[in-house]
Amino acid sequence: MISRFIAFVFLATATAFAHAAAASAVTIGFSQVGSESEWRVAFSESMKRHAEARHIDLIFSNAENVSERQIAAVTAFIERKVDAIIIAPIIVTGWDGVLKAAKAANIPVFIVDRAVQSDPSLFVTRIAANFNLEGKLAGAWLAQASRGNCQVIELQGTIGSAAALERRRGFLSIASQFPGLQVVRSHSGNFRKEGGKAIIEDIFNSAAGTLKNVCAIYAHNDDMMLGAIEALKARGLQPGRDILTISVDATSEARAAIASGDINASVELKSDTGALVYDVVLGYLAGSRNYPKWVVIPTDLVTRESLARD
C-alpha cells in the first residue's frame, strides 16, 4: 500500500514538473524569406537546429518570397500570442502596421539577416551582417584585381531587399572612385541560380550577343553567380579567367568553385547564426535590455589563397 502511495506521489510530482516545463517553454515565431538559395536553406536549418537544442517551440513559416504571405505569418504569430517574433524580411518596406500590432500585444520582435525601414522602437534589435560593407569588399577586391579599369555586369538580388540595396550601394561607392570601373548592365536575378543564368543568356541572345568588353561579373549572391557560370561555360568562356567573378555568401558550393578557379572571390555571409540569434532573444526574454539596435555579424573575403590558408 505504501509503495503504491509512493508511486502515486512520484507520478503526480513528475506530471506536475512536466506541465510546469511545458508551461514555461518559450514559443517563438520565425518568418523566413524563402528557400531561394543555398545560403537561405542553410540559415533556416541553423535556426531550426539551434531551436531544438534549446528546447524552443519554434513556429517556422516560409514566405517563399511573397511579402503578403510574410505579413500574414507574423499576424498569425501575434494572434497565437507567442513569446517572441523573429523576422527575416523580404523587403524593407511595408512593416509598420504589423510591427505596431506586435508592440501593442507586448510581443518583442527581432529582425534578422535583412532590414526594415520602420521606427526602431518597434523592434528590439537587428541581428545581421553589414551588407554595405559586403558590397565595398567586393568593389575593393575588383578594383585591385582590375587595376580600376573594368566594365561590370551586376546581378542584383531581390529588388527592394536590404541585401540588394546595400550590396549595390557599397559596391558603387568604391567603383565611383575609379573612373574606369563602371557597372554597364545591372539586372535582378532574385538571388536565384536560374535568375543569374537567365541574365547572362539574355545578354548573349541580345543584339550585341557578346561580353567582349566585359571585364567582370559582380553577383549579390553565390547562387546567381553559379548560374552565370553555367551560361558562360556554355558559350566556351572560362569564368574566373576570361571574366572575373566576385559574389557574396561564400557557401560550400561557392567555396568549391573558388577552389577550382571558377569564382575568384566571395564575401562571406555566415549562415550558421542560429545560436547568436537565440542568445539575444532568450537573453531579452530573461530580462536583459542592453542590446544595441544592430548586433553586427562579422564578415570576411574568401579567395583561393585564403582557402589554402584555412
PDB file of all heavy atoms in Angstrom, residues 148-173:
ATOM      1  N   GLY A 148      41.437  49.024 -61.412  1.00  0.00           N
ATOM      2  CA  GLY A 148      40.480  50.122 -61.542  1.00  0.00           C
ATOM      3  C   GLY A 148      39.966  50.361 -62.938  1.00  0.00           C
ATOM      4  O   GLY A 148      39.390  51.417 -63.223  1.00  0.00           O
ATOM      5  N   ASN A 149      40.146  49.399 -63.819  1.00  0.00           N
ATOM      6  CA  ASN A 149      39.699  49.566 -65.208  1.00  0.00           C
ATOM      7  C   ASN A 149      38.885  48.337 -65.614  1.00  0.00           C
ATOM      8  O   ASN A 149      39.438  47.312 -66.018  1.00  0.00           O
ATOM      9  CB  ASN A 149      40.894  49.743 -66.136  1.00  0.00           C
ATOM     10  CG  ASN A 149      40.471  50.084 -67.558  1.00  0.00           C
ATOM     11  OD1 ASN A 149      39.361  50.561 -67.786  1.00  0.00           O
ATOM     12  ND2 ASN A 149      41.349  49.814 -68.512  1.00  0.00           N
ATOM     13  N   CYS A 150      37.546  48.434 -65.490  1.00  0.00           N
ATOM     14  CA  CYS A 150      36.734  47.240 -65.690  1.00  0.00           C
ATOM     15  C   CYS A 150      35.276  47.603 -65.963  1.00  0.00           C
ATOM     16  O   CYS A 150      34.686  48.433 -65.262  1.00  0.00           O
ATOM     17  CB  CYS A 150      36.816  46.357 -64.431  1.00  0.00           C
ATOM     18  SG  CYS A 150      36.012  44.757 -64.563  1.00  0.00           S
ATOM     19  N   GLN A 151      34.689  46.993 -66.996  1.00  0.00           N
ATOM     20  CA  GLN A 151      33.255  47.104 -67.237  1.00  0.00           C
ATOM     21  C   GLN A 151      32.581  45.895 -66.585  1.00  0.00           C
ATOM     22  O   GLN A 151      32.992  44.748 -66.822  1.00  0.00           O
ATOM     23  CB  GLN A 151      32.957  47.154 -68.732  1.00  0.00           C
ATOM     24  CG  GLN A 151      33.431  48.451 -69.389  1.00  0.00           C
ATOM     25  CD  GLN A 151      32.869  48.621 -70.795  1.00  0.00           C
ATOM     26  OE1 GLN A 151      32.134  47.783 -71.294  1.00  0.00           O
ATOM     27  NE2 GLN A 151      33.234  49.725 -71.427  1.00  0.00           N
ATOM     28  N   VAL A 152      31.553  46.167 -65.781  1.00  0.00           N
ATOM     29  CA  VAL A 152      30.989  45.143 -64.902  1.00  0.00           C
ATOM     30  C   VAL A 152      29.516  44.896 -65.207  1.00  0.00           C
ATOM     31  O   VAL A 152      28.745  45.834 -65.429  1.00  0.00           O
ATOM     32  CB  VAL A 152      31.129  45.576 -63.420  1.00  0.00           C
ATOM     33  CG1 VAL A 152      30.646  44.472 -62.485  1.00  0.00           C
ATOM     34  CG2 VAL A 152      32.567  45.970 -63.105  1.00  0.00           C
ATOM     35  N   ILE A 153      29.145  43.628 -65.185  1.00  0.00           N
ATOM     36  CA  ILE A 153      27.726  43.249 -65.172  1.00  0.00           C
ATOM     37  C   ILE A 153      27.362  42.942 -63.724  1.00  0.00           C
ATOM     38  O   ILE A 153      28.033  42.137 -63.061  1.00  0.00           O
ATOM     39  CB  ILE A 153      27.455  42.015 -66.053  1.00  0.00           C
ATOM     40  CG1 ILE A 153      27.679  42.350 -67.524  1.00  0.00           C
ATOM     41  CG2 ILE A 153      26.022  41.511 -65.847  1.00  0.00           C
ATOM     42  CD1 ILE A 153      27.559  41.152 -68.446  1.00  0.00           C
ATOM     43  N   GLU A 154      26.312  43.592 -63.237  1.00  0.00           N
ATOM     44  CA  GLU A 154      25.873  43.383 -61.854  1.00  0.00           C
ATOM     45  C   GLU A 154      24.606  42.523 -61.854  1.00  0.00           C
ATOM     46  O   GLU A 154      23.635  42.821 -62.542  1.00  0.00           O
ATOM     47  CB  GLU A 154      25.578  44.721 -61.181  1.00  0.00           C
ATOM     48  CG  GLU A 154      25.093  44.578 -59.741  1.00  0.00           C
ATOM     49  CD  GLU A 154      24.684  45.922 -59.142  1.00  0.00           C
ATOM     50  OE1 GLU A 154      24.167  46.774 -59.898  1.00  0.00           O
ATOM     51  OE2 GLU A 154      24.866  46.101 -57.923  1.00  0.00           O
ATOM     52  N   LEU A 155      24.637  41.455 -61.076  1.00  0.00           N
ATOM     53  CA  LEU A 155      23.467  40.595 -60.886  1.00  0.00           C
ATOM     54  C   LEU A 155      22.881  40.941 -59.520  1.00  0.00           C
ATOM     55  O   LEU A 155      23.415  40.560 -58.474  1.00  0.00           O
ATOM     56  CB  LEU A 155      23.863  39.117 -60.941  1.00  0.00           C
ATOM     57  CG  LEU A 155      24.661  38.674 -62.178  1.00  0.00           C
ATOM     58  CD1 LEU A 155      24.957  37.181 -62.103  1.00  0.00           C
ATOM     59  CD2 LEU A 155      23.903  38.998 -63.461  1.00  0.00           C
ATOM     60  N   GLN A 156      21.788  41.700 -59.535  1.00  0.00           N
ATOM     61  CA  GLN A 156      21.184  42.160 -58.295  1.00  0.00           C
ATOM     62  C   GLN A 156      20.297  41.089 -57.663  1.00  0.00           C
ATOM     63  O   GLN A 156      19.745  40.238 -58.343  1.00  0.00           O
ATOM     64  CB  GLN A 156      20.324  43.400 -58.547  1.00  0.00           C
ATOM     65  CG  GLN A 156      21.082  44.662 -58.891  1.00  0.00           C
ATOM     66  CD  GLN A 156      20.186  45.879 -58.805  1.00  0.00           C
ATOM     67  OE1 GLN A 156      19.487  46.102 -57.824  1.00  0.00           O
ATOM     68  NE2 GLN A 156      20.193  46.683 -59.857  1.00  0.00           N
ATOM     69  N   GLY A 157      20.147  41.211 -56.338  1.00  0.00           N
ATOM     70  CA  GLY A 157      19.215  40.349 -55.631  1.00  0.00           C
ATOM     71  C   GLY A 157      17.801  40.879 -55.772  1.00  0.00           C
ATOM     72  O   GLY A 157      17.504  41.690 -56.655  1.00  0.00           O
ATOM     73  N   THR A 158      16.913  40.443 -54.891  1.00  0.00           N
ATOM     74  CA  THR A 158      15.514  40.861 -54.938  1.00  0.00           C
ATOM     75  C   THR A 158      15.408  42.372 -54.800  1.00  0.00           C
ATOM     76  O   THR A 158      15.915  42.960 -53.842  1.00  0.00           O
ATOM     77  CB  THR A 158      14.718  40.184 -53.811  1.00  0.00           C
ATOM     78  OG1 THR A 158      14.824  38.760 -53.963  1.00  0.00           O
ATOM     79  CG2 THR A 158      13.253  40.586 -53.857  1.00  0.00           C
ATOM     80  N   ILE A 159      14.738  43.013 -55.754  1.00  0.00           N
ATOM     81  CA  ILE A 159      14.584  44.462 -55.741  1.00  0.00           C
ATOM     82  C   ILE A 159      13.827  44.889 -54.473  1.00  0.00           C
ATOM     83  O   ILE A 159      12.777  44.342 -54.153  1.00  0.00           O
ATOM     84  CB  ILE A 159      13.822  44.947 -56.991  1.00  0.00           C
ATOM     85  CG1 ILE A 159      14.609  44.586 -58.261  1.00  0.00           C
ATOM     86  CG2 ILE A 159      13.580  46.451 -56.921  1.00  0.00           C
ATOM     87  CD1 ILE A 159      15.972  45.202 -58.367  1.00  0.00           C
ATOM     88  N   GLY A 160      14.367  45.873 -53.781  1.00  0.00           N
ATOM     89  CA  GLY A 160      13.733  46.367 -52.562  1.00  0.00           C
ATOM     90  C   GLY A 160      14.193  45.680 -51.305  1.00  0.00           C
ATOM     91  O   GLY A 160      13.831  46.098 -50.193  1.00  0.00           O
ATOM     92  N   SER A 161      15.006  44.624 -51.429  1.00  0.00           N
ATOM     93  CA  SER A 161      15.534  43.956 -50.237  1.00  0.00           C
ATOM     94  C   SER A 161      16.753  44.714 -49.723  1.00  0.00           C
ATOM     95  O   SER A 161      17.483  45.349 -50.494  1.00  0.00           O
ATOM     96  CB  SER A 161      15.923  42.513 -50.555  1.00  0.00           C
ATOM     97  OG  SER A 161      17.049  42.465 -51.412  1.00  0.00           O
ATOM     98  N   ALA A 162      16.969  44.636 -48.421  1.00  0.00           N
ATOM     99  CA  ALA A 162      18.105  45.337 -47.821  1.00  0.00           C
ATOM    100  C   ALA A 162      19.422  44.849 -48.401  1.00  0.00           C
ATOM    101  O   ALA A 162      20.342  45.640 -48.648  1.00  0.00           O
ATOM    102  CB  ALA A 162      18.098  45.141 -46.305  1.00  0.00           C
ATOM    103  N   ALA A 163      19.520  43.542 -48.630  1.00  0.00           N
ATOM    104  CA  ALA A 163      20.766  42.983 -49.160  1.00  0.00           C
ATOM    105  C   ALA A 163      21.086  43.546 -50.540  1.00  0.00           C
ATOM    106  O   ALA A 163      22.218  43.936 -50.825  1.00  0.00           O
ATOM    107  CB  ALA A 163      20.666  41.462 -49.215  1.00  0.00           C
ATOM    108  N   ALA A 164      20.077  43.592 -51.417  1.00  0.00           N
ATOM    109  CA  ALA A 164      20.302  44.109 -52.767  1.00  0.00           C
ATOM    110  C   ALA A 164      20.619  45.601 -52.745  1.00  0.00           C
ATOM    111  O   ALA A 164      21.536  46.069 -53.436  1.00  0.00           O
ATOM    112  CB  ALA A 164      19.083  43.839 -53.646  1.00  0.00           C
ATOM    113  N   LEU A 165      19.871  46.354 -51.960  1.00  0.00           N
ATOM    114  CA  LEU A 165      20.083  47.801 -51.889  1.00  0.00           C
ATOM    115  C   LEU A 165      21.483  48.142 -51.402  1.00  0.00           C
ATOM    116  O   LEU A 165      22.194  48.954 -52.002  1.00  0.00           O
ATOM    117  CB  LEU A 165      19.046  48.437 -50.962  1.00  0.00           C
ATOM    118  CG  LEU A 165      17.590  48.455 -51.467  1.00  0.00           C
ATOM    119  CD1 LEU A 165      16.654  48.849 -50.321  1.00  0.00           C
ATOM    120  CD2 LEU A 165      17.440  49.423 -52.634  1.00  0.00           C
ATOM    121  N   GLU A 166      21.893  47.514 -50.296  1.00  0.00           N
ATOM    122  CA  GLU A 166      23.172  47.883 -49.684  1.00  0.00           C
ATOM    123  C   GLU A 166      24.375  47.270 -50.383  1.00  0.00           C
ATOM    124  O   GLU A 166      25.440  47.892 -50.438  1.00  0.00           O
ATOM    125  CB  GLU A 166      23.160  47.498 -48.203  1.00  0.00           C
ATOM    126  CG  GLU A 166      22.192  48.330 -47.366  1.00  0.00           C
ATOM    127  CD  GLU A 166      22.458  49.820 -47.487  1.00  0.00           C
ATOM    128  OE1 GLU A 166      23.643  50.212 -47.506  1.00  0.00           O
ATOM    129  OE2 GLU A 166      21.484  50.587 -47.571  1.00  0.00           O
ATOM    130  N   ARG A 167      24.241  46.066 -50.923  1.00  0.00           N
ATOM    131  CA  ARG A 167      25.365  45.490 -51.668  1.00  0.00           C
ATOM    132  C   ARG A 167      25.639  46.299 -52.933  1.00  0.00           C
ATOM    133  O   ARG A 167      26.783  46.422 -53.360  1.00  0.00           O
ATOM    134  CB  ARG A 167      25.091  44.021 -51.994  1.00  0.00           C
ATOM    135  CG  ARG A 167      25.233  43.122 -50.784  1.00  0.00           C
ATOM    136  CD  ARG A 167      24.766  41.708 -51.015  1.00  0.00           C
ATOM    137  NE  ARG A 167      24.793  40.969 -49.748  1.00  0.00           N
ATOM    138  CZ  ARG A 167      24.165  39.816 -49.533  1.00  0.00           C
ATOM    139  NH1 ARG A 167      23.466  39.260 -50.500  1.00  0.00           N
ATOM    140  NH2 ARG A 167      24.234  39.234 -48.355  1.00  0.00           N
ATOM    141  N   ARG A 168      24.599  46.860 -53.510  1.00  0.00           N
ATOM    142  CA  ARG A 168      24.777  47.728 -54.681  1.00  0.00           C
ATOM    143  C   ARG A 168      25.408  49.051 -54.274  1.00  0.00           C
ATOM    144  O   ARG A 168      26.374  49.515 -54.894  1.00  0.00           O
ATOM    145  CB  ARG A 168      23.435  47.961 -55.368  1.00  0.00           C
ATOM    146  CG  ARG A 168      23.508  48.923 -56.549  1.00  0.00           C
ATOM    147  CD  ARG A 168      22.208  48.947 -57.335  1.00  0.00           C
ATOM    148  NE  ARG A 168      22.189  50.018 -58.334  1.00  0.00           N
ATOM    149  CZ  ARG A 168      22.822  49.971 -59.503  1.00  0.00           C
ATOM    150  NH1 ARG A 168      23.537  48.909 -59.830  1.00  0.00           N
ATOM    151  NH2 ARG A 168      22.750  50.983 -60.357  1.00  0.00           N
ATOM    152  N   ARG A 169      24.874  49.676 -53.225  1.00  0.00           N
ATOM    153  CA  ARG A 169      25.399  50.966 -52.775  1.00  0.00           C
ATOM    154  C   ARG A 169      26.855  50.854 -52.351  1.00  0.00           C
ATOM    155  O   ARG A 169      27.680  51.709 -52.683  1.00  0.00           O
ATOM    156  CB  ARG A 169      24.562  51.489 -51.603  1.00  0.00           C
ATOM    157  CG  ARG A 169      23.188  52.000 -51.992  1.00  0.00           C
ATOM    158  CD  ARG A 169      22.359  52.285 -50.771  1.00  0.00           C
ATOM    159  NE  ARG A 169      21.005  52.723 -51.112  1.00  0.00           N
ATOM    160  CZ  ARG A 169      19.962  52.660 -50.313  1.00  0.00           C
ATOM    161  NH1 ARG A 169      20.114  52.176 -49.081  1.00  0.00           N
ATOM    162  NH2 ARG A 169      18.776  53.069 -50.714  1.00  0.00           N
ATOM    163  N   GLY A 170      27.177  49.800 -51.610  1.00  0.00           N
ATOM    164  CA  GLY A 170      28.554  49.632 -51.159  1.00  0.00           C
ATOM    165  C   GLY A 170      29.516  49.458 -52.321  1.00  0.00           C
ATOM    166  O   GLY A 170      30.589  50.066 -52.358  1.00  0.00           O
ATOM    167  N   PHE A 171      29.118  48.634 -53.281  1.00  0.00           N
ATOM    168  CA  PHE A 171      29.965  48.397 -54.456  1.00  0.00           C
ATOM    169  C   PHE A 171      30.168  49.681 -55.252  1.00  0.00           C
ATOM    170  O   PHE A 171      31.297  50.026 -55.636  1.00  0.00           O
ATOM    171  CB  PHE A 171      29.326  47.323 -55.341  1.00  0.00           C
ATOM    172  CG  PHE A 171      30.161  46.923 -56.520  1.00  0.00           C
ATOM    173  CD1 PHE A 171      31.106  45.919 -56.411  1.00  0.00           C
ATOM    174  CD2 PHE A 171      30.004  47.559 -57.745  1.00  0.00           C
ATOM    175  CE1 PHE A 171      31.883  45.547 -57.501  1.00  0.00           C
ATOM    176  CE2 PHE A 171      30.777  47.207 -58.839  1.00  0.00           C
ATOM    177  CZ  PHE A 171      31.723  46.189 -58.710  1.00  0.00           C
ATOM    178  N   LEU A 172      29.072  50.412 -55.498  1.00  0.00           N
ATOM    179  CA  LEU A 172      29.159  51.638 -56.305  1.00  0.00           C
ATOM    180  C   LEU A 172      29.966  52.722 -55.599  1.00  0.00           C
ATOM    181  O   LEU A 172      30.596  53.554 -56.257  1.00  0.00           O
ATOM    182  CB  LEU A 172      27.756  52.155 -56.629  1.00  0.00           C
ATOM    183  CG  LEU A 172      26.929  51.284 -57.594  1.00  0.00           C
ATOM    184  CD1 LEU A 172      25.550  51.884 -57.797  1.00  0.00           C
ATOM    185  CD2 LEU A 172      27.652  51.107 -58.928  1.00  0.00           C
ATOM    186  N   SER A 173      29.947  52.708 -54.254  1.00  0.00           N
ATOM    187  CA  SER A 173      30.727  53.718 -53.527  1.00  0.00           C
ATOM    188  C   SER A 173      32.226  53.530 -53.766  1.00  0.00           C
ATOM    189  O   SER A 173      32.990  54.493 -53.785  1.00  0.00           O
ATOM    190  CB  SER A 173      30.423  53.652 -52.026  1.00  0.00           C
ATOM    191  OG  SER A 173      30.973  52.490 -51.429  1.00  0.00           O
TER     192      SER A 173
END
